[in-house]
Amino acid sequence: MSILDNGKTKKMELVCPAGNLPALKIAVDNGADAVYMGLKDDTNARHFAGLNFNEKRSYQAIEYAHQRGCKVYLAINTYPQANGWQRWKNAVDMAAKLEVDALIAADIGVLDYASSKYSELRLHLSVQGSATNAESINFYYDNFAVKRVVLPRVLSLKQVAQVAESSPVPLEVFGFGSLCVMVEGRCLLSSYATGQSPNTFGACSPASAVEWQETNSGLHTRLNNILIDSYKENEPAAYPTLCKGRFEVSSNTYYAIEEPTSLNTIELLPELQKIGIAAIKIEGRQRSTAYVNQVSKVWREALDACHNDSDHYVVKNEWLQTLHEVSEGRTTTLGAYHRPWQ
Amino acid sequence: MNTNMTKLSLGPIQYYWDRQTTFDFYKQIANSKIDIVYLGETVCSKRKLMRRNDWLEIAELLKASGKEVVLSSMTLIEANSELAAIKSLCGNSEYMIEANDMSVVQLLKDKPFVTGPSVNVYNPASLKMLAKHGLKRWVLPVELSKSSLADMQLERPAGVETEVIVYGRLPLAYSARCFTARSHNLPKDDCQYRCLDDPDGLMLSTQENEKFLILNGIQTQSAKTSNLILDLDELYKLNVDIFRISPASQHTVKIIDLFYKTLHESYSDKKANTELQKLMPVGGSCNGYWHGANGMDWKESTEEVLSQVTR
């Protein structure tokens, strides 16, 4: 898709998380091509206390970004039920009023409303839309004229290339941050345990259900009283995301689903560029401004290096060090991009 | 309950059983009280002991026994080979297709279809949108409650049937990673089909021995069996047309009988529940999602008034 007629590849856009106005400003100042944000309610998949933007802040954010040539995307990417429908409609209306550069949505009802009411509003399919193949993308393209699709973090690099080859629209992929092991939009583990899921509530393993419990046998982390992990003295403890705990299967206790680790694809940039990926997304609207600062700097530098000369692109050690320091469990993985991970 | 119009369905087998076991299973199903049977591999495209023609042979058998047959698609479709398989599935015009991924809806090009539980139909606008493309039946997404269903039923487009999973371990998540292979320290590409060892999946427990989840290849299920036997009256009042049971390796026909007797023959739901508890795989019951609670919770049915929709 994004191979230009003259044979040169397009530059990949760096899309950074903006959980609040300070984070947004840092991302913009560090050279993000676009930032993405959410409103202060359950219409987006980072519905956390103290996070996100009201109307006034949204205007300030967009003004700040636009004055500096940075695009702003608004995520309305959870799944409304009938009793909340008005809130999602209001959010879409707000996106149009704010004149955001794109609305990132997942639910076909929301997409239908947005595309039929606001034909000028650019739509991106959220990762929560679970489009893992070109025919799914065709569905969203034919029905809602989505202009970009964010791929779930479940495809191998080869599969990403296959999808890119037949997709009618450019693709955005995740470059760095928290790793969803499950297909986004199709994971109900959190609501099974706590009643709240990314789809319904905009949160996974919500903080309100978390308990850190000191016991005689060490620290226990619980989610709605379910033991997610237990730690020996001095063993670093991780947030009890329920797919990243140690459980017992066939009498073995281990990270049965996934370790606490972050996704990092920085070494794949030349290949992603060759495939024609339009944008690299950095996860982490819920993270600190320090995280946004460090990660956006590294990725800006890496993308520039890749764009300038992808044949001689080398991952710098200092990039990796910085990224490891802000990673879950201080380790990173290529995740599903790397077939043996699967 | 005067429930002549309601039907019982059997969802697709979500585990990997050998070919003979699968054939034997459906021979029993052909003689059961089930009305509708969903057939096909929905979890992993590497599971190939049952070929397309085997499924069609079973479809014929069931059809000849008066069952309605629906062919179910895979759920997570990534590789080009998987896309090719669903293209061929969508070319079948004899049976209706259960779409478990939006790609299938796209490929069916407005032919009649069912959406399975993993297609996110969370609101009336979504239901209407899909109805324009030929939706004939939708299965309530796993995490939605009766109050959300009541709202959906109020605005349900004409000619669209509603199906709800009333019994079975719940499909909760799909991944690129195979957790069964991982549990054997094997990569997915060399999984040795170890999921054949676990006809009802592989138990994952907490370090306090609480039975929590079931690993079934790339799918994760609830360890508890979703069981709405005590809630059938509510489902009926909410105009649910079809009650879905998910296959387990043991006692599926007896379970179908219990639901049939409770729905159609005034058999006591409490008695049926007592019997179900003995028939279900280890882990116990849950019905929390239906009651708007944590999915894994178990709530005895309340006498709460369903204010909006009643028959």
Side-chain angles (χ1 to χ4, degrees):
Chain A
M1 254 317 288
S2 63
I3 308 292
L4 297 178
D5 291 342
N6 62 11
K8 282 189 180 168
T9 49
K10 273 187 187 171
K11 285 185 175 176
M12 294 180 283
E13 199 176 74
L14 176 61
V15 185
C16 287
N20 55 32
L21 191 54
L24 178 137
K25 287 180 174 173
I26 288 168
V28 172
D29 294 348
N30 286 351
D33 300 301
V35 290
Y36 63 104
M37 54 185 259
L39 300 172
K40 268 191 173 302
D41 58 22
D42 51 358
T43 59
N44 75 91
R46 291 292 180 278
H47 173 211
F48 299 164
L51 215 61
N52 294 320
F53 294 75
N54 60 23
E55 184 174 355
K56 189 179 156 199
R57 279 276 185 277
S58 300
Y59 275 113
Q60 291 171 342
I62 291 165
E63 192 185 1
Y64 188 89
H66 281 176
Q67 281 175 352
R68 289 157 183 82
C70 178
K71 291 175 187 160
V72 178
Y73 304 151
L74 186 69
I76 303 178
N77 58 347
T78 45
Y79 287 84
Q81 295 169 57
N83 65 358
W85 179 244
Q86 192 59 45
R87 206 154 53 249
W88 273 256
K89 266 169 74 174
N90 292 346
V92 172
D93 295 342
M94 176 71 76
K97 189 174 151 196
L98 290 167
E99 297 183 351
V100 293
D101 298 287
L103 165 60
I104 309 170
D107 176 69
I108 56 175
V110 170
L111 286 161
D112 192 43
Y113 175 75
S115 66
S116 49
K117 187 158 178 196
Y118 302 106
S119 57
E120 298 299 300
L121 185 57
R122 180 185 163 96
L123 298 176
H124 291 181
L125 182 68
S126 168
V127 67
Q128 298 299 123
S130 323
T132 53
N133 58 70
E135 291 298 344
S136 289
I137 295 174
N138 281 333
F139 176 85
Y140 294 95
Y141 176 70
D142 287 355
N143 287 290
F144 315 116
V146 297
K147 299 282 196 304
R148 183 187 290 179
V149 167
V150 187
L151 289 183
R153 284 159 277 192
V154 294
L155 300 172
S156 68
L157 193 60
K158 185 180 151 205
Q159 289 165 346
V160 172
Q162 286 178 351
V163 176
E165 203 173 87
S166 26
S167 168
V169 295
L171 305 176
E172 179 172 317
V173 300
F174 275 85
F176 184 80
S178 248
L179 176 65
C180 272
V181 185
M182 307 301 183
V183 190
E184 295 89 337
R186 288 179 157 182
C187 180
L188 316 179
L189 294 178
S190 182
S191 63
Y192 181 66
T194 74
Q196 296 177 332
S197 76
N199 285 358
T200 55
F201 185 74
C204 168
S205 309
S208 56
V210 168
E211 199 184 338
W212 305 79
Q213 190 179 45
E214 288 292 352
T215 73
N216 293 335
S217 58
L219 177 69
H220 287 181
T221 56
R222 291 178 185 276
L223 194 67
N224 193 22
N225 208 35
I226 300 158
L227 184 63
I228 303 298
D229 214 338
S230 69
Y231 298 91
K232 297 193 186 81
E233 216 178 319
N234 299 325
E235 200 183 2
Y239 185 90
T241 305
L242 61 74
C243 62
K244 292 175 181 168
R246 276 174 289 196
F247 299 104
E248 201 177 293
V249 180
S250 314
S251 307
N252 296 318
T253 303
Y254 65 108
Y255 293 109
I257 299 174
E258 177 61 309
E259 294 95 25
T261 181
S262 288
L263 176 74
N264 182 14
T265 67
I266 204 157
E267 67 182 78
L268 301 181
L269 281 184
E271 287 172 88
L272 293 170
Q273 182 178 4
K274 206 165 124 197
I275 288 170
I277 294 303
I280 304 286
K281 180 167 224 145
I282 307 297
E283 188 275 345
R285 283 193 283 135
Q286 74 286 11
R287 301 290 299 264
S288 66
T289 49
Y291 167 93
V292 174
N293 185 30
Q294 287 167 316
V295 176
S296 58
K297 262 187 204 156
V298 167
W299 280 81
R300 180 71 276 160
E301 208 183 309
L303 274 166
D304 288 345
C306 179
H307 292 150
N308 287 338
D309 185 358
S310 61
D311 290 341
H312 298 97
Y313 172 82
V314 181
V315 176
K316 289 187 186 169
N317 269 334
E318 60 194 75
W319 298 346
L320 292 180
Q321 273 168 20
T322 306
L323 295 178
H324 282 174
E325 274 165 31
V326 296
S327 295
E328 276 179 77
R330 298 197 165 221
T331 61
T332 61
T333 173
L334 283 171
Y337 289 104
H338 184 52
R339 187 77 189 181
W341 176 92
Q342 300 190 9
Chain B
M1 279 181 264
N2 174 17
T3 56
N4 292 334
M5 298 298 284
T6 60
K7 291 177 178 172
L8 280 174
S9 73
L10 186 68
I13 298 171
Q14 299 184 73
Y15 312 106
Y16 195 27
W17 298 347
D18 67 48
R19 191 169 173 277
Q20 193 56 49
T21 306
T22 308
F23 269 91
D24 292 347
F25 177 79
Y26 284 111
K27 275 177 202 150
Q28 290 181 19
I29 294 305
N31 296 314
S32 74
K33 302 273 195 193
I34 211 81
D35 300 295
I36 303 167
V37 183
Y38 291 81
L39 290 180
E41 175 57 47
T42 58
V43 174
C44 180
S45 58
K46 292 185 71 184
R47 297 173 173 177
K48 283 185 173 150
L49 288 175
M50 290 290 292
R51 314 301 297 207
R52 168 62 63 78
N53 283 344
D54 293 329
W55 288 118
L56 290 176
E57 193 182 324
I58 291 174
E60 293 274 314
L61 167 80
L62 292 166
K63 199 175 158 188
S65 310
K67 314 298 184 196
E68 179 191 329
V69 171
V70 180
L71 302 180
S72 296
S73 83
M74 284 276 298
T75 306
L76 174 57
I77 294 156
E78 301 174 298
N80 278 355
S81 56
E82 290 163 346
L83 260 187
I86 60 160
K87 277 179 189 162
S88 143
L89 176 74
C90 292
N92 185 305
S93 49
E94 191 171 357
Y95 301 103
M96 193 149 70
I97 306 290
E98 179 188 57
N100 286 308
D101 185 67
M102 218 48 107
S103 56
V104 180
V105 177
Q106 174 71 12
L107 286 165
L108 283 168
K109 298 193 195 316
D110 301 348
K111 282 202 277 188
F113 67 97
V114 184
T115 52
S118 64
V119 172
N120 289 343
V121 184
Y122 276 54
N123 49 65
S126 297
L127 204 53
K128 287 174 193 167
M129 201 267 150
L130 290 174
K132 280 191 263 172
H133 287 282
L135 180 75
K136 291 293 167 217
R137 182 186 300 159
W138 67 295
V139 181
L140 180 72
V142 170
E143 64 175 344
L144 296 191
S145 68
K146 60 184 168 188
S147 89
S148 204
L149 176 68
D151 293 335
M152 300 284 276
Q153 295 293 70
L154 276 178
E155 296 185 57
R156 171 166 55 150
V160 174
E161 294 175 316
T162 299
E163 179 165 343
V164 174
I165 299 174
V166 294
Y167 183 89
R169 283 175 166 164
L170 294 169
L172 296 177
Y174 298 84
S175 176
R177 174 175 272 179
C178 176
F179 305 111
T180 303
R182 181 176 169 85
S183 80
H184 294 287
N185 282 315
L186 293 168
K188 186 165 82 172
D189 287 338
D190 179 29
C191 67
Q192 298 172 23
Y193 304 101
R194 295 301 289 269
C195 54
L196 278 168
D197 300 347
D198 310 304
D200 293 293
L202 184 57
M203 181 64 72
L204 176 151
S205 305
T206 70
Q207 293 180 49
E208 293 173 323
N209 294 320
E210 181 181 358
K211 292 179 173 55
F212 185 29
L213 300 170
I214 294 294
L215 305 178
N216 174 35
I218 63 135
Q219 184 196 53
T220 308
Q221 300 183 331
S222 60
K224 291 186 178 176
T225 296
S226 179
N227 172 16
L228 303 188
I229 190 84
L230 299 176
D231 307 297
L232 293 183
D233 199 32
E234 289 181 343
L235 279 119
Y236 177 69
K237 285 180 182 151
L238 285 171
N239 296 301
V240 172
D241 305 282
I242 298 154
F243 298 62
R244 176 183 290 207
I245 292 165
S246 280
S249 70
Q250 304 292 316
H251 310 307
T252 299
V253 170
K254 285 183 196 162
I255 289 158
I256 292 169
D257 281 346
L258 281 170
F259 274 89
Y260 184 88
K261 285 199 294 187
T262 310
L263 267 176
H264 297 303
E265 294 175 353
S266 311
Y267 192 72
S268 151
D269 57 359
K270 293 209 164 48
K271 268 193 205 164
N273 184 44
T274 307
E275 290 170 56
L276 280 175
Q277 299 298 331
K278 293 176 203 153
L279 299 177
M280 67 180 57
V282 290
S285 289
C286 66
N287 62 2
Y289 279 132
W290 177 252
H291 293 281
N294 312 324
M296 66 192 298
D297 289 357
W298 172 251
K299 306 216 180 263
E300 296 286 328
S301 219
T302 53
E303 293 299 312
E304 168 185 345
V305 179
L306 294 165
S307 53
Q308 292 168 318
V309 183
T310 46
R311 276 189 198 251

